[in-house]
Amino acid sequence: MIPVTVLTGFLGSGKTTLLARLLKSPELARTAVIINEFGAVGIDHDLVEAGEESFVQLETGCLCCTIRGDLEATMADLVTRRSRGAVPAFERIVIETSGLADPAPILNAIMSESARGSGLALGAVVTTVDAVTGLATLSREAQSVRQVAVADRLILTKSDLAEQSADLRARLAALNPRAELSEAIFGEIDPAGLLDSERNPIRDLHVHAHHAHSDDIQCIAVRRDQPMHALTLTLLLEALADHCGANLLRLKGIINIAESPDRPAVIHGVQHVFHAPAWLDRWPSTDQGTRVVMIGRGLSEGWVLDLIAAIEAEIDELAVQQTSAG
Amino acid sequence: MSDARTKSMDEALLALIASSLTMWGRSGSARQDESGNIIVESEAHVVRIARAAPGVPFRWSITIDGRERVASSVTGALRVLRSSLDPDFRPSRVRIAPIEITPP
């Protein structure tokens, strides 16, 4: 699978600078880049040096709304040209969103392409936050809150210019306690960390006892130690799509399936779109409990646990009925 | 059907409805009547959730203010319940295909 990393962040937060630096590192040499600029005249592409063949600029609209279809077509086209040898065999795609983009529809588009069997998979979501203006931006711009909330990695930019960023760090931790926070000074950051996010999308799936509430976006964590039936997972995802839908900015989880005790299923979801579960070869650690992290509005950990319990009870009841009838 | 299993299912469904009402921002309560049916009273609506009769191709009968609807699973019953209580509810048109029981 080819991971698709989404690089997002509010206007002026240093996405292009960061991407330009990252693409100069050997670790990211085989990277196809899709840049989205909002405006009639794009300049970001001139600031990023990447192979001409595997570089695509999408402009005159924002990825999350007017040209989402273009993004899906662009990704599919890149994969097709790669398989024909028309472009270098890139190992990943990085999408730099416009600063005004809501990342959720973009993640949706990636997952839709993945579901079509394109060979693409959602990698990491990397969000840049300006250390100087980030706090004010988060207070003023709802879109910047969403960009932070769905991130796997938060990168604090321009921290060389900011005297004190403790308040900003606290705000980021409240909005997204599971994201890894690092700093980039003049766009310099260790590319190995970014690659790590791509390869291990569930590495940070630790379940914390506390909930984070900020700007009405919550991050809830659900843990269940008993295995669940595969059918329970299907019905659970369907119910989440029904009842959480657009309020579910992002979901990721590792599931202990009763029928597959040695190979856990990994699930990803954005709004009402869910990846087909991926099966790991083995448990990544000694912790073999089901863990699901959900980010969004109006979510309830207790409701999810009650839902799983009711579905499991119904499946158990049906099994008893079938045994009695047989 | 064993009594223990039935009680477990009923308890689980009652707990789910209670937490669902809270999550949906609906006032009301759920209880079990003497026949074992679940009665949900919420904002002038009365909903009765009963097991369907044996031999029919669905599992739940949901009577909302006197009108009957059916569902084939507890998640389907939950969808019907919310549709009856929440005029703004728009269930997803997406249906998740059953996952493979074992890894490929």
Side-chain angles (χ1 to χ4, degrees):
Chain A
M1 297 293 271
I2 301 169
V4 183
T5 291
V6 176
L7 175 60
T8 188
F10 205 68
L11 295 167
S13 61
K15 298 181 294 297
T16 306
T17 303
L18 180 73
L19 182 59
R21 294 296 176 105
L22 283 172
L23 291 178
K24 287 179 179 169
S25 65
E27 293 96 325
L28 289 170
R30 291 177 171 273
T31 300
V33 177
I34 299 173
I35 288 187
N36 172 221
E37 289 187 79
F38 189 79
V41 180
I43 58 168
D44 281 358
H45 65 287
D46 289 329
L47 306 178
V48 174
E49 293 176 30
E52 196 64 35
E53 307 88 345
S54 49
F55 182 92
V56 181
Q57 182 191 10
L58 295 170
E59 57 185 28
T60 69
C62 181
L63 271 183
C64 70
C65 31
T66 53
I67 59 170
R68 181 184 148 178
D70 290 356
L71 173 63
E72 293 177 12
T74 297
M75 287 190 289
D77 180 57
L78 271 174
V79 171
T80 301
R81 286 196 285 150
R82 178 183 185 271
S83 63
R84 287 180 186 156
V87 297
F90 53 84
E91 295 173 348
R92 71 185 58 77
I93 297 175
V94 174
I95 299 172
E96 181 191 335
T97 75
S98 80
L100 296 171
D102 174 358
I106 296 167
L107 305 187
N108 242 326
I110 296 167
M111 291 173 58
S112 298
E113 272 308 301
S114 178
R116 291 187 192 112
S118 62
L120 301 176
L122 178 60
V125 179
V126 179
T127 300
T128 53
V129 179
D130 187 322
V132 180
T133 63
L135 197 57
T137 301
L138 286 168
S139 302
R140 196 178 58 242
E141 305 290 348
Q143 219 64 299
S144 73
V145 172
R146 293 168 74 90
Q147 292 166 349
V148 167
V150 301
D152 295 298
R153 289 181 63 91
L154 293 169
I155 299 183
L156 213 49
T157 60
K158 309 176 194 176
S159 48
D160 50 307
L161 301 177
E163 290 182 4
Q164 179 57 264
S165 59
D167 290 346
L168 176 57
R169 284 173 178 272
R171 184 77 186 277
L172 296 175
L175 277 171
N176 189 344
R178 62 182 186 84
E180 192 175 327
L181 179 64
S182 44
E183 291 186 24
I185 299 174
F186 300 116
E188 295 290 350
I189 193 163
D190 180 9
L194 186 64
L195 295 174
D196 181 57
S197 296
E198 289 175 350
R199 286 175 183 152
N200 300 291
I202 58 164
R203 81 199 183 293
D204 54 355
L205 210 54
H206 304 305
V207 174
H208 301 286
H210 69 276
H211 298 185
H213 297 265
S214 183
D215 302 281
D216 80 356
I217 290 179
Q218 304 161 274
C219 175
I220 68 166
V222 176
R223 180 183 177 90
R224 181 184 156 96
D225 289 322
Q226 306 98 312
M228 71 173 73
H229 295 98
L231 181 56
T232 299
L233 178 58
T234 300
L235 293 171
L236 171 67
L237 296 182
E238 194 169 288
L240 289 174
D242 265 344
H243 297 282
C244 300
N247 286 331
L248 184 59
L249 294 179
R250 197 163 179 204
L251 171 150
K252 62 169 72 174
I254 183 167
I255 312 293
N256 188 333
I257 298 288
E259 293 88 345
S260 170
D262 299 325
R263 297 188 61 184
V266 173
I267 55 170
H268 288 278
V270 176
Q271 296 178 329
H272 48 258
V273 177
F274 291 87
H275 260 302
W279 298 94
L280 298 184
D281 290 336
R282 65 187 70 84
W283 284 92
S285 73
T286 55
D287 185 352
Q288 298 192 359
T290 288
R291 286 153 283 157
V292 179
V293 172
M294 299 167 63
I295 299 166
R297 294 186 174 84
L299 306 175
S300 162
E301 175 188 344
W303 179 78
V304 176
L305 288 170
D306 286 340
L307 179 60
I308 294 171
I311 297 170
E312 287 277 281
E314 183 165 48
I315 291 172
D316 287 346
E317 187 177 276
L318 279 167
V320 170
Q321 287 173 338
Q322 286 171 355
T323 303
S324 302
Chain B
M1 180 187 323
S2 81
D3 288 339
R5 291 291 181 180
T6 303
K7 186 177 178 186
S8 173
M9 175 74 251
D10 291 344
E11 283 177 348
L13 185 53
L14 270 172
L16 175 61
I17 291 171
S19 59
S20 294
L21 289 173
T22 302
M23 193 179 85
W24 302 338
R26 300 279 143 186
S27 61
S29 62
R31 61 182 168 82
Q32 196 163 19
D33 68 12
E34 23 333 312
S35 305
N37 302 321
I38 290 176
I39 308 298
V40 183
E41 293 176 296
S42 175
E43 301 175 13
H45 295 287
V46 178
V47 180
R48 188 190 69 164
I49 302 174
R51 281 180 167 70
V56 296
F58 46 88
R59 282 181 47 78
W60 301 96
S61 164
I62 302 110
T63 307
I64 308 138
D65 302 328
R67 289 177 296 110
E68 186 188 22
R69 294 178 65 183
V70 297
S72 58
S73 67
V74 69
T75 53
L78 196 65
R79 187 183 307 125
V80 171
L81 176 64
R82 188 170 183 186
S83 297
S84 66
L85 300 180
D86 183 354
D88 296 325
F89 177 55
R90 298 288 179 272
S92 169
R93 293 179 186 277
V94 175
R95 288 291 166 261
I96 313 293
I99 70 166
E100 296 181 51
I101 298 296
T102 53

